[in-house]
Amino acid sequence: MEIATPPAHVFDAAVALTPAGIDAYSGRPHAAYQNMVGPFGGVIGATLLNAILSHPARLGDPISLTVHYAAPIADDAFSVIARAMRTNRSTQHWLVELQQSGEVAAFATAVTGLRRDTWSATDTRFPVVPPADAVEVTAPLPHAPWTSCYEMRFIDGGPDVPASDQHPSQSRLWIRDRPNRPLDFLSLAAISDAFFPRLFIRRPQRGPIGTVALTTYFHADAAQLNAQGTEPLLGVARGLHFGKGFFDQSAELWSTRGDLLASSHQMVYFKE
């Protein structure tokens, strides 16, 4: 009997899915990516994306991924259902559900597509920042085990670094998987949620929070991700509005060559 080889990297183990029928997969949370309550949202989003990338009917690479976090995810097995809702000549639209105990705990909509060479431009600018090796590594947060899975080098807006005077909720940091892992769409999706909540940067006090929706837009193709390899990404995040129990935050992820690889926007619930 052939014995399956376990994933070589902890991230691959965390997003691993086992086929369980037509459009169906099974998985379970990984202890390394636990957050204060339940799993780190980025790895849940990457798991849902993995169901699409593993699907035999998939067309092209990820263009966008919107994850809705509907309920806390227990430390137990879950099932994932991935369906292609419509397939066009160059784009494909997906619905993915993560279910536990017969109920939906998270779900995602996504678009995959075939990219082609066209005119391109980036209106936002690559920030002027020191190189990664000139910035000290920030220690993981004891109350958030998932932070041990990333090497983070904060330029500003870190747990112990004052926020910028011009952008009080801004964080800029160099980030990559720990241990090093070549970048791909799954890890890029997870890292898009690896920014600490802007509320805690803007107003340094703790309280219950939870992301309710996160959209990531993928601007890069597979070749650009392959070129990035294991080099750190430059992440920039800032909040736009806080109030009435919710706040939003936007983020950018740049390659070391100055290419915008992904951008994201999320809405977060908070309680006083």
Side-chain angles (χ1 to χ4, degrees):
M1 182 178 67
E2 184 177 349
I3 299 176
T5 302
H9 194 282
V10 63
F11 177 78
D12 296 293
V15 302
L17 293 170
T18 301
I22 298 175
D23 296 339
Y25 303 86
S26 62
R28 64 180 308 120
H30 196 287
Y33 286 88
Q34 288 298 303
N35 205 349
M36 291 178 285
V37 178
F40 163 51
V43 84
I44 291 300
T47 300
L48 295 176
L49 180 60
N50 195 25
I52 297 173
L53 298 186
S54 302
H55 200 287
R58 190 249 300 185
L59 173 73
D61 290 330
I63 305 298
S64 70
L65 173 71
T66 298
V67 182
H68 297 262
Y69 300 91
I73 295 174
D75 186 17
D76 201 357
F78 54 73
S79 60
V80 176
I81 310 297
R83 292 181 293 155
M85 307 301 288
R86 183 181 176 97
T87 301
N88 301 316
R89 287 193 298 177
S90 59
T91 60
Q92 193 172 47
H93 299 258
W94 290 85
L95 175 64
V96 191
E97 296 181 0
L98 186 153
Q99 300 178 0
Q100 278 190 323
S101 302
E103 295 186 316
V104 173
F107 66 96
T109 56
V111 178
T112 60
L114 300 175
R115 296 184 183 270
R116 62 188 189 280
D117 290 332
T118 63
W119 174 85
S120 65
T122 303
D123 282 352
T124 188
R125 297 294 182 89
F126 182 75
V128 178
V129 295
D133 57 9
V135 183
E136 291 187 6
V137 175
T138 300
L141 301 181
H143 57 277
W146 69 268
T147 59
S148 297
C149 296
Y150 292 100
E151 176 189 286
M152 300 183 182
R153 299 172 182 263
F154 279 91
I155 300 158
D156 54 25
D160 301 314
V161 182
S164 165
D165 292 337
Q166 294 182 341
H167 300 284
S169 64
Q170 177 177 273
S171 292
R172 297 180 298 176
L173 73 156
W174 292 101
I175 181 170
R176 61 181 165 186
D177 288 290
R178 180 160 52 190
N180 290 349
R181 178 186 181 279
L183 186 68
D184 59 15
F185 287 110
L186 294 178
S187 55
L188 185 59
I191 292 174
S192 73
D193 192 35
F195 298 94
F196 299 148
R198 299 299 90 198
L199 183 69
F200 297 164
I201 306 301
R202 182 69 172 80
R203 188 186 65 168
Q205 77 182 59
R206 297 293 183 263
I209 66 159
T211 299
V212 295
L214 165 65
T215 297
T216 300
Y217 301 103
F218 302 93
H219 305 299
D221 59 17
Q224 287 174 286
L225 303 191
N226 289 337
Q228 178 68 12
T230 62
E231 292 297 309
L233 301 173
L234 178 65
V236 181
R238 62 181 63 85
L240 299 182
H241 177 75
F242 306 80
K244 299 180 176 63
F246 295 89
F247 67 91
D248 67 337
Q249 60 186 55
S250 61
E252 303 161 4
L253 288 167
W254 298 83
S255 76
T256 49
R257 297 165 180 79
D259 295 324
L260 183 63
L261 302 181
S263 57
S264 69
H265 205 92
Q266 66 178 280
M267 184 67 83
V268 186
Y269 159 85
F270 74 94
K271 186 176 181 179
E272 296 287 353

